Amino acid sequence: MKKKEINASHTPLYREAGFNLQNSKRTKEAFAAELNHAHEPEDYIYSRYRNPTVVAAEKQIMELEECNWALLVETGMAAIDVAVSVFQKGAATRPWLFFHEIYGGTNSFIDTVLIKRRNLDVHRFYANEGLYDFEELERMLAEIQPEFLYFEAVSNPMLIVADVKRIMELAKQYRAKIIVDNTFGTPYLWKPLLDGADLVIHSATKYLSGHGNITAGVICGNDEELMKEAIEYRKWAGHFLSPDDAYRLGTQLKSFELRFDKHCKNAMELAKYLENNSKIEEVLYPGLESHPTRKEAVALFGDNGFGGMITFDIKGNSDEDKREKCNRFIAALEDTIPLVPTLGEVDTILLPVEPVWGAKYPLPGVIRLSVGIENIEKLKGLIGEALENM
Ligand SMILES: *Cc1c(COP(=O)(O)O)cnc(C)c1O
């Protein structure tokens, strides 16, 4: 049956697994062209290779990160797998260097996939009480001569902002490629590719989609060769974002800047409010004068804002007292600000640090807030009341 062209006003949702190549000549040409690994092929073949709904969402992300290409995959972890695997070249693989202050799942990926299963020569650069010793970093770069350096600008859950200019200068000096996980910063605050990064990844599950209703990841870059490698790896390792989720992401990306602006404004106001609340011991928010890396945050983010994450410590006489107060605070908010182990949603959610990070951060009164885009007075009211009644 002949398909009629529909005058759709939005990119349609193409759910098909395979595309109609009509005849042998076109099939042959499409498969030959596929070997070039173009970002947007002339003819679509099979959705795992490329899908038009997915490509449409990728183009939206290219505009946000101001880069030449973006590749969507099914999760942030899949994006990390693609980003690092393009540098794996059998026996010729050089050592890789990762900051240790990165997403916990990435550290688990390094341990269980890169080291345990792939037996790769992976090194970690550790922070000292959340702060980086650049002499130590330089010493490691000189000694290891890594293929790439992998880091995040904002640490989690302590929200330490790194001196990224310094890190990137050092990496370039030792000819290490630079991979940045920009999930926390988002392109609203920082565009690492404009500052010389080679690859940027995101968990688009978080701020880019922003509604907590899909999982997705993206790898962004400018270099054509890296893109072809990434497309090849994505295809044959079977990483792929479903068209349904790409469609949803495409819709939600349209409000990304609007949302993130509000996340930043709400978080700034809430951080100040918490800092002045007598039930709170300490508030960590990079926008506060009291934050240990406010200088780095201002240098990196300028006037754009300081993100949507706040970490704070509830006052208590002892660890047990803090733990109980923390539990009562969480219980009081159960129906309004739920305990959800993710971040970057339009709704405010919280996460107690001790039960998640355990021995790494044994801090019984500490809560991480992912601040949403709700009416700020309502948010302050809810949190203030819960603090009052703990
Ligand atoms: C959540 C997260 C990831 C992993 O993303 P998923 O979509 O959960 O696979 C990676 N990096 C950071 C910083 C994250 O917050």
Side-chain angles (χ1 to χ4, degrees), residues 74-80 102-106 150 152 154 156 181-184 201-206 214-217 341-343 368:
E74 67 276 31
T75 60
M77 294 313 299
I80 294 167
I102 52 175
Y103 176 65
T106 310
Y150 181 111
E152 295 175 16
V154 186
N156 175 27
D181 178 340
N182 200 27
T183 303
F184 270 58
I201 71 100
H202 284 274
S203 167
T205 312
K206 317 289 170 54
I214 63 165
T215 68
T342 181
L343 61 99
R368 188 189 78 177

Side-chain angles (χ1 to χ4, degrees), residues 142-365:
E143 185 186 309
I144 299 164
Q145 298 282 328
E147 171 85 39
F148 66 74
L149 179 65
Y150 181 111
F151 70 94
E152 295 175 16
V154 186
S155 79
N156 175 27
M158 293 305 163
L159 310 177
I160 299 295
V161 182
D163 181 350
V164 302
K165 294 259 154 65
R166 186 94 186 268
I167 295 168
M168 289 166 81
E169 270 167 25
L170 281 173
K172 296 229 176 274
Q173 192 181 328
Y174 289 90
R175 292 200 194 83
K177 297 257 183 348
I178 296 162
I179 307 178
V180 178
D181 178 340
N182 200 27
T183 303
F184 270 58
T186 81
Y188 189 88
L189 294 184
W190 183 38
K191 296 177 173 61
L193 292 162
L194 293 184
D195 282 344
D198 295 280
L199 291 177
V200 165
I201 71 100
H202 284 274
S203 167
T205 312
K206 317 289 170 54
Y207 288 109
L208 293 183
S209 67
H211 294 67
N213 56 6
I214 63 165
T215 68
V218 67
I219 312 101
C220 306
N222 287 320
D223 184 273
E224 179 96 5
E225 280 313 305
L226 283 178
M227 179 193 78
K228 289 180 191 300
E229 295 281 336
I231 288 176
E232 181 185 73
Y233 183 81
R234 178 178 69 168
K235 183 180 3 180
W236 300 124
H239 288 307
F240 173 62
L241 184 64
S242 84
D244 284 75
D245 286 345
Y247 186 84
R248 215 171 276 144
L249 176 61
T251 305
Q252 290 166 185
L253 278 170
K254 292 179 192 184
S255 63
F256 164 71
E257 291 185 322
L258 205 58
R259 281 186 279 112
F260 204 76
D261 184 57
K262 183 73 170 154
H263 282 297
C264 292
K265 290 197 168 109
N266 273 1
M268 188 73 212
E269 191 158 341
L270 197 58
K272 285 184 184 156
Y273 172 79
L274 290 170
E275 200 169 42
N276 290 318
N277 189 299
S278 60
K279 305 291 174 86
I280 303 281
E281 172 109 33
E282 192 188 1
V283 182
L284 284 174
Y285 182 66
L288 292 176
E289 295 293 343
S290 59
H291 192 268
T293 58
R294 182 180 148 91
K295 188 167 66 68
E296 285 81 356
V298 171
L300 189 59
F301 306 150
D303 300 331
N304 296 353
F306 297 93
M309 305 298 293
I310 300 176
T311 299
F312 63 92
D313 190 10
I314 291 170
K315 256 187 204 155
N317 309 321
S318 63
D319 279 359
E320 210 34 59
D321 185 38
K322 282 186 161 212
R323 208 167 278 129
E324 273 168 25
K325 287 202 168 109
C326 191
N327 287 340
R328 284 200 289 272
F329 176 78
I330 293 167
L333 293 168
E334 191 185 336
D335 298 324
T336 49
I337 301 183
L339 189 171
V340 187
T342 181
L343 61 99
E345 302 192 359
V346 289
D347 300 306
T348 301
I349 51 183
L350 63 78
L351 194 67
V353 166
E354 190 184 48
V356 177
W357 279 269
K360 188 171 182 206
Y361 292 112
L363 306 167

